[in-house]
Amino acid sequence: MDVDAISSPDPESDQELAFEGALRPKSLDEFVGQTKVRGQLELLLKAAAMQNRAPDHILLAGPPGLGKTTLAIIVALESGKPLRMSSGPAIQHAGDLAAVLSSLVPGEVLFIDEIHRMARSAEEMLYLAMEDFRIDIMVGKGAGATSIPLELAPFTLVGATTRAGLLPNPLRDRFGFTAHLEFYDEPELERVLARAADLLGLELSGDSRAEIARRSRGTPRIANRLLRRVRDYELVHGGGASVAAVQAALELYDVDPLGLDRLDRAVMHAVLMRFDGGPVGLNTLAVSVGEEAETIESVVEPFLVRIGLLTRTPRGRVASREAWKHFGLRPPAASGAQPGLFDDDL
Ligand SMILES: Nc1ncnc2c1ncn2[C@@H]1O[C@H](COP(=O)(O)OP(=O)(O)OP(=O)(O)O)[C@@H](O)[C@H]1O
């Protein structure tokens, strides 16, 4: 299988895609960090290989860019089986899923990204497929409709989601193993960068690596992207990828010293400036930055909470002392905190 040709579900550009493909680890050994998940997957794959059966279905949960697609590819590569890629938004009818399932070859790995976005009718079909490798196809309409059972080849479903909580229990329960991917710490990101720099033929000192890792938002995808910007800078200016060059390149692209991106900053600005540090409800916050509540909750918040800028309280989101300091602002003297507009959206 040509793994480099496999596309990420949310490509920014063909170039970005080719770059991601080239840097993707192709085995569990090459996959940096997530030690626990790696160990669990290794055991699961080995046991299946020893019993000559398809590995159990796997659910990968966690924020974007932490390696869910990469792990799905690795599952296929390590089990020596083909990989089929699909995504929740592409499965809007049970028929879409039936077409995919009925064409799987024995042992094939089916990757469904953003599985929480699949149509409800398809979800129900998936229950039976995961459990019994069988689906019922409805033929005809109304009183004359009949269902014809169709046997499927045994397969392994790898589902990825940024919102494990949104999956209905019957679907979640049918996965033999759920892996929760965590943000990477700086030493792990440095290892991701060292590997990527090697593959790109870029010389990068330990200090330069640390500088990029610090600003990578705990996310390998971002680390690799920043590395690419540093490589561009080095290409144009020459003189090597020194710490000064790294800082200049990242400042040019407006990368915050903590790695906050535009949306992170917009959310923090709203909490601090518009809502006096909170508490503010999720929906109110989402409206004030013009984003979907789901994006704020699954993409933005986990990182802001992790680095201690934001806390979640029963009354809503609250900025921490560090947040005021990081943005060079003074917290209001008294606790003049203004609650969100809607009390029901906490
Ligand atoms: N553990 C890792 N070690 C080395 N590189 C990694 C690791 N995890 C991810 N990467 C790199 O980060 C990039 C993004 O990873 P991937 O596409 O697997 O993330 P994802 O979780 O599927 O994101 P999304 O949810 O947005 O699809 C990959 O190209 C890969 O090179």
CSV table of all heavy atoms in Angstrom, one decimal, residues 53-55 75-76 79-84 104-110 133 152-157:
chain,number,residue,atom,x,y,z
A,53,ARG,N,-6.8,-13.8,13.1
A,53,ARG,CA,-8.1,-13.1,13.0
A,53,ARG,C,-7.9,-11.6,12.8
A,53,ARG,O,-6.8,-11.1,13.1
A,53,ARG,CB,-9.0,-13.5,14.2
A,53,ARG,CG,-8.4,-13.0,15.5
A,53,ARG,CD,-9.4,-13.1,16.6
A,53,ARG,NE,-8.7,-12.8,17.9
A,53,ARG,CZ,-8.4,-11.6,18.4
A,53,ARG,NH1,-8.7,-10.5,17.6
A,53,ARG,NH2,-7.8,-11.4,19.5
A,54,ALA,N,-9.0,-11.0,12.4
A,54,ALA,CA,-8.9,-9.5,12.3
A,54,ALA,C,-8.9,-8.9,13.7
A,54,ALA,O,-9.6,-9.4,14.6
A,54,ALA,CB,-10.2,-9.0,11.6
A,55,PRO,N,-8.0,-7.9,14.0
A,55,PRO,CA,-8.0,-7.3,15.3
A,55,PRO,C,-9.3,-6.7,15.7
A,55,PRO,O,-10.1,-6.4,14.8
A,55,PRO,CB,-6.9,-6.2,15.1
A,55,PRO,CG,-6.2,-6.5,13.9
A,55,PRO,CD,-7.0,-7.3,13.0
A,75,VAL,N,-2.0,0.6,11.9
A,75,VAL,CA,-2.8,-0.7,12.2
A,75,VAL,C,-2.8,-1.5,10.9
A,75,VAL,O,-2.6,-2.7,10.9
A,75,VAL,CB,-4.2,-0.4,12.7
A,75,VAL,CG1,-5.1,-1.6,12.7
A,75,VAL,CG2,-4.1,0.2,14.1
A,76,ALA,N,-3.1,-0.9,9.8
A,76,ALA,CA,-3.2,-1.6,8.5
A,76,ALA,C,-1.8,-2.1,8.1
A,76,ALA,O,-1.7,-3.3,7.7
A,76,ALA,CB,-3.8,-0.7,7.4
A,79,SER,N,-0.7,-5.0,10.4
A,79,SER,CA,-1.4,-6.2,10.2
A,79,SER,C,-1.3,-6.7,8.7
A,79,SER,O,-1.9,-7.8,8.4
A,79,SER,CB,-2.8,-6.2,10.7
A,79,SER,OG,-3.4,-4.9,10.8
A,80,GLY,N,-0.6,-6.0,7.9
A,80,GLY,CA,-0.4,-6.4,6.5
A,80,GLY,C,-1.7,-6.5,5.7
A,80,GLY,O,-1.8,-7.3,4.8
A,81,LYS,N,-2.6,-5.6,6.1
A,81,LYS,CA,-3.9,-5.6,5.4
A,81,LYS,C,-4.2,-4.3,4.7
A,81,LYS,O,-3.6,-3.3,5.1
A,81,LYS,CB,-5.1,-5.9,6.4
A,81,LYS,CG,-5.0,-7.2,7.1
A,81,LYS,CD,-5.2,-8.4,6.1
A,81,LYS,CE,-5.2,-9.7,6.9
A,81,LYS,NZ,-5.2,-10.8,6.0
A,82,PRO,N,-5.0,-4.3,3.7
A,82,PRO,CA,-5.3,-3.0,3.0
A,82,PRO,C,-6.1,-2.1,3.9
A,82,PRO,O,-6.7,-2.6,4.9
A,82,PRO,CB,-6.2,-3.4,1.8
A,82,PRO,CG,-6.5,-4.9,1.9
A,82,PRO,CD,-5.7,-5.5,3.1
A,83,LEU,N,-6.1,-0.8,3.5
A,83,LEU,CA,-6.8,0.2,4.3
A,83,LEU,C,-7.8,0.9,3.5
A,83,LEU,O,-7.5,1.3,2.3
A,83,LEU,CB,-5.8,1.2,4.9
A,83,LEU,CG,-6.3,2.4,5.6
A,83,LEU,CD1,-6.9,2.0,7.0
A,83,LEU,CD2,-5.2,3.4,5.8
A,84,ARG,N,-9.0,1.1,4.0
A,84,ARG,CA,-10.0,1.9,3.3
A,84,ARG,C,-10.3,3.1,4.1
A,84,ARG,O,-10.5,2.9,5.4
A,84,ARG,CB,-11.3,1.0,3.1
A,84,ARG,CG,-12.4,1.7,2.3
A,84,ARG,CD,-12.2,1.5,0.8
A,84,ARG,NE,-12.1,0.0,0.5
A,84,ARG,CZ,-13.2,-0.6,0.0
A,84,ARG,NH1,-14.3,0.0,-0.3
A,84,ARG,NH2,-13.1,-1.9,-0.2
A,104,LEU,N,-15.6,-4.7,1.2
A,104,LEU,CA,-14.4,-4.9,2.0
A,104,LEU,C,-13.8,-6.3,1.7
A,104,LEU,O,-14.6,-7.3,1.6
A,104,LEU,CB,-14.6,-4.8,3.5
A,104,LEU,CG,-15.0,-3.3,4.0
A,104,LEU,CD1,-15.3,-3.4,5.5
A,104,LEU,CD2,-13.8,-2.4,3.7
A,105,VAL,N,-12.5,-6.4,1.7
A,105,VAL,CA,-11.9,-7.8,1.5
A,105,VAL,C,-11.6,-8.3,2.9
A,105,VAL,O,-11.5,-7.5,3.9
A,105,VAL,CB,-10.6,-7.8,0.6
A,105,VAL,CG1,-11.0,-7.3,-0.8
A,105,VAL,CG2,-9.5,-6.9,1.2
A,106,PRO,N,-11.4,-9.6,3.1
A,106,PRO,CA,-11.2,-10.2,4.4
A,106,PRO,C,-10.0,-9.5,5.1
A,106,PRO,O,-8.9,-9.3,4.5
A,106,PRO,CB,-10.9,-11.7,4.2
A,106,PRO,CG,-11.6,-11.9,2.9
A,106,PRO,CD,-11.5,-10.7,2.1
A,107,GLY,N,-10.2,-9.1,6.4
A,107,GLY,CA,-9.1,-8.5,7.2
A,107,GLY,C,-8.9,-7.0,6.9
A,107,GLY,O,-8.1,-6.4,7.6
A,108,GLU,N,-9.6,-6.4,5.9
A,108,GLU,CA,-9.4,-5.0,5.6
A,108,GLU,C,-9.6,-4.1,6.8
A,108,GLU,O,-10.5,-4.4,7.6
A,108,GLU,CB,-10.3,-4.6,4.4
A,108,GLU,CG,-10.0,-3.3,3.8
A,108,GLU,CD,-10.4,-3.1,2.4
A,108,GLU,OE1,-11.0,-4.1,1.8
A,108,GLU,OE2,-10.2,-2.0,1.8
A,109,VAL,N,-8.8,-3.0,6.9
A,109,VAL,CA,-9.0,-2.1,7.9
A,109,VAL,C,-9.8,-0.9,7.4
A,109,VAL,O,-9.5,-0.3,6.4
A,109,VAL,CB,-7.6,-1.5,8.5
A,109,VAL,CG1,-7.8,-0.4,9.5
A,109,VAL,CG2,-6.8,-2.7,9.0
A,110,LEU,N,-11.0,-0.6,8.0
A,110,LEU,CA,-11.8,0.5,7.6
A,110,LEU,C,-11.7,1.6,8.5
A,110,LEU,O,-12.0,1.5,9.7
A,110,LEU,CB,-13.3,0.0,7.5
A,110,LEU,CG,-14.3,1.1,7.3
A,110,LEU,CD1,-14.1,1.8,5.9
A,110,LEU,CD2,-15.8,0.6,7.3
A,133,PHE,N,-20.5,-9.1,11.6
A,133,PHE,CA,-20.0,-9.0,10.2
A,133,PHE,C,-21.2,-9.4,9.2
A,133,PHE,O,-21.1,-10.2,8.3
A,133,PHE,CB,-18.8,-9.9,9.9
A,133,PHE,CG,-17.6,-9.6,10.8
A,133,PHE,CD1,-17.1,-10.4,11.7
A,133,PHE,CD2,-17.1,-8.3,10.7
A,133,PHE,CE1,-16.0,-10.1,12.5
A,133,PHE,CE2,-16.0,-7.9,11.6
A,133,PHE,CZ,-15.5,-8.8,12.4
A,152,LEU,N,-20.7,-10.2,5.5
A,152,LEU,CA,-19.5,-9.3,5.2
A,152,LEU,C,-18.2,-10.1,5.5
A,152,LEU,O,-18.2,-11.0,6.3
A,152,LEU,CB,-19.5,-8.1,6.0
A,152,LEU,CG,-20.8,-7.2,6.0
A,152,LEU,CD1,-20.6,-6.1,7.1
A,152,LEU,CD2,-21.0,-6.6,4.6
A,153,ALA,N,-17.2,-9.6,4.8
A,153,ALA,CA,-15.8,-10.2,5.2
A,153,ALA,C,-15.5,-9.6,6.6
A,153,ALA,O,-15.8,-8.5,6.9
A,153,ALA,CB,-14.8,-9.7,4.1
A,154,PRO,N,-14.8,-10.4,7.4
A,154,PRO,CA,-14.4,-9.9,8.7
A,154,PRO,C,-13.4,-8.7,8.5
A,154,PRO,O,-12.6,-8.8,7.6
A,154,PRO,CB,-13.6,-11.0,9.4
A,154,PRO,CG,-13.8,-12.2,8.5
A,154,PRO,CD,-14.4,-11.8,7.2
A,155,PHE,N,-13.6,-7.6,9.2
A,155,PHE,CA,-12.8,-6.4,9.0
A,155,PHE,C,-12.6,-5.8,10.4
A,155,PHE,O,-13.2,-6.2,11.4
A,155,PHE,CB,-13.6,-5.4,8.1
A,155,PHE,CG,-14.8,-4.9,8.7
A,155,PHE,CD1,-14.8,-3.6,9.4
A,155,PHE,CD2,-16.0,-5.6,8.7
A,155,PHE,CE1,-16.0,-3.1,10.0
A,155,PHE,CE2,-17.2,-5.1,9.3
A,155,PHE,CZ,-17.2,-3.9,9.9
A,156,THR,N,-11.6,-4.9,10.4
A,156,THR,CA,-11.4,-4.1,11.6
A,156,THR,C,-11.8,-2.7,11.4
A,156,THR,O,-11.3,-2.0,10.4
A,156,THR,CB,-9.9,-4.1,12.0
A,156,THR,OG1,-9.5,-5.5,12.3
A,156,THR,CG2,-9.6,-3.3,13.3
A,157,LEU,N,-12.7,-2.2,12.2
A,157,LEU,CA,-13.1,-0.8,12.1
A,157,LEU,C,-12.2,0.1,13.0
A,157,LEU,O,-12.0,-0.2,14.2
A,157,LEU,CB,-14.5,-0.6,12.5
A,157,LEU,CG,-15.0,0.9,12.6
A,157,LEU,CD1,-15.1,1.5,11.2
A,157,LEU,CD2,-16.4,1.0,13.2
